[in-house]
Amino acid sequence: MNINFIKEKLKDNIGKKVRVTVYGLRNKINYYEGYIYKLYPNIFTIKINNEEKSFAYRDIITKDISLKYFN
């Protein structure tokens, strides 16, 4: 898996619902559900309740976050 593959996958799913799981420090896990909103060269944003939350593509590669797409 590389960054270009991740960017293409996200580009194909702009505007679709997604669940982001963030694996933090001390085994803390946060969940966010929203819509893929915008893509930038190094980050992408998720729209959650009229608020934007940004994540880096590299976080997917390092498995600091995971994405689950909904239809």
Side-chain angles (χ1 to χ4, degrees):
M1 185 180 308
N2 63 30
I3 289 181
N4 291 328
F5 175 78
I6 293 167
K7 286 181 182 181
E8 286 299 317
K9 178 87 171 163
L10 288 169
K11 185 178 178 183
D12 293 340
N13 289 294
I14 287 180
K16 294 185 181 174
K17 190 171 183 179
V18 69
R19 182 177 189 183
V20 181
T21 305
V22 180
Y23 303 99
L25 300 174
R26 298 185 181 138
N27 297 326
K28 184 176 179 184
I29 299 174
N30 292 318
Y31 300 98
Y32 302 100
E33 285 190 17
Y35 298 90
I36 299 173
Y37 188 56
K38 292 183 182 175
L39 303 177
Y40 297 99
N42 295 316
I43 63 169
F44 63 97
T45 61
I46 305 292
K47 186 96 163 182
I48 307 165
N49 298 330
N50 295 325
E51 197 175 307
E52 285 186 55
K53 185 100 173 132
S54 63
F55 302 95
Y57 302 114
R58 64 177 157 67
D59 291 337
I60 298 171
I61 294 173
T62 59
K63 298 186 179 177
D64 290 333
I65 67 170
S66 65
L67 301 176
K68 179 181 179 185
Y69 300 97
F70 297 99
N71 290 334

